[in-house]
Amino acid sequence: MTTTRDVQWQDRAAELADTLTGLGKLTDPAWQAAVRQVARHEFVPRFYTQDSTGAWTESDTSTKDGRRAWLEAVYSNKPLITALRQDIDPVRVLSSSTQPGLMTRMLESLDIRHGHRVLEIGTGTGYNAALLSHRLGAANVFSADIEPQLVELARARLASLGYRPTLVAADGALGMPEHAPFDRLIATCAVSAIPWAWIEQLRIGGAMLTDLKTAPSAGSLVRLTRVDDDRAEGRFDPTYAAFMGLRHQPGEPDRTVTWSARDTAIAHQSISAVNPQTPWNAMVVWFLAAFDLGPDVSIGYTGIDTTSPPTAVTLSTPDGSWTQINLATAEGGHQVTEGGPRRLWRAVENAHHLREKLGNPGWDRFGLTVTPDVHTLWHDHPDGEHRWTRSTRTQPNDYWTPVAPAHSR
Ligand SMILES: C[S@@+](CC[C@H](N)C(=O)[O-])C[C@H]1O[C@@H](n2cnc3c(N)ncnc32)[C@H](O)[C@@H]1O
């Protein structure tokens, strides 16, 4: 029987390193060597794919063709779903092996150097911990995952390749105070606010990188430097990225929200010039709109049935507000139908105008300042005209509020 240990993987790993280098996502020779020399297939012995009906299939390595397809996927620049919770409907994704190009971009963006001690939140398969261990020595690598069984699998896989970083099964939101301080922190899951513990456990001058999502799909990677005891500050990365959300309990989603019934008594009709697919194709507009819409906005498509192409985009919020925007145009725009206490599409239209007024900024024109009490998200400058704040502590209702410009205060 062929085992995963027998596969010829070195050429594929070298090709992956070349591909990522060609894409500009891997430039540092030390990380290039890590991608060439760390066997990703050891960390991803199987993965899952979902078809258009929502059904999941496990990769099949029982045949020669199956093994070839598995190995090709493992050494391609693709994220791979690696753990599911299948005892519930719908099946929940628990873990994945991040797209390699995103991983290397994050590692390079953190400017990790020889001798640094690095804390990773979200061990997952252990592959990223292996890249870090290859580069820094396992004694300098610390990694936590909320799922105990994933930590044990990662520990065994890492040990089989000779790496013994410190792995802990715990809520990574708490960091790893017993091993602090760290020079760098990398979180491979998304948060709605930066846990102060992460900053407190960085050395002054140390840096962290995580995915900040203020609402579903609203936000991206932000890199913060701890500038003094009580403050970390930095900007968003220029390119959009999205990770699964951090959760505080194994297998459970982080937020449980009570939804009021959709209020369909009165439906308002209007025509909008704004593209209904804004949440997916104008991510900065969606990010700006989410300050107004709140953290629990739900977005989706609707249509005649699940087998036909969708006809409209839907938005709804827990207060019973809902909006449906037709994908087709009529009367010079998209028909909007909405009900409930708030006009949700207006938030998206306002965000669209704000982005135009700001000169169509990319992600890196936005930044974040975090203190033990307050998060301030800003455009262009920490004291700039456009800022939004929220508490650093997680609240039941994590809304961001706009800071009034100085002249109107
Ligand atoms: C994208 S995967 C991590 C990929 C991983 N770095 C790798 O190389 O395979 C995100 C991981 O975050 C973990 N996670 C979610 N909430 C967490 C928490 N509170 N603390 C630590 N890990 C958490 C998930 O279980 C999941 O394994």
Side-chain angles (χ1 to χ4, degrees), residues 94-98 103 120-128 144-147 150 170-173 188-189 243-248:
L94 293 184
S95 192
S96 62
S97 178
T98 308
M103 248 182 280
E120 179 191 35
I121 310 297
T123 312
T125 63
Y127 177 61
N128 202 34
D145 202 290
I146 192 80
E147 303 294 338
L150 294 185
D171 182 356
T188 54
C189 41
F243 280 90
M244 65 181 63
L246 177 136
R247 47 187 191 272
H248 294 295

Side-chain angles (χ1 to χ4, degrees), residues 354 357-358 377-381 384-388 403:
L354 176 58
K357 184 178 143 198
L358 298 177
L377 209 151
W378 37 267
H379 170 255
D380 272 353
H381 193 272
E385 190 184 338
H386 295 279
R387 285 178 285 156
W388 298 263
V403 180

Side-chain angles (χ1 to χ4, degrees), residues 279-298:
W280 300 279
N281 69 9
M283 311 303 280
V284 171
V285 176
W286 180 244
F287 174 57
L288 293 171
F291 290 126
D292 212 355
L293 294 169
D296 297 308
V297 58
S298 162

Side-chain angles (χ1 to χ4, degrees), residues 346-358:
R346 195 157 306 153
V348 180
E349 291 176 325
N350 291 343
H352 190 76
H353 295 141
L354 176 58
R355 188 189 58 162
E356 270 175 17
K357 184 178 143 198
L358 298 177

Side-chain angles (χ1 to χ4, degrees), residues 12-28:
R12 292 182 186 266
E15 265 172 47
L16 176 61
D18 291 345
T19 303
L20 302 184
T21 304
L23 291 170
K25 296 180 188 300
L26 179 61
T27 60
D28 178 334

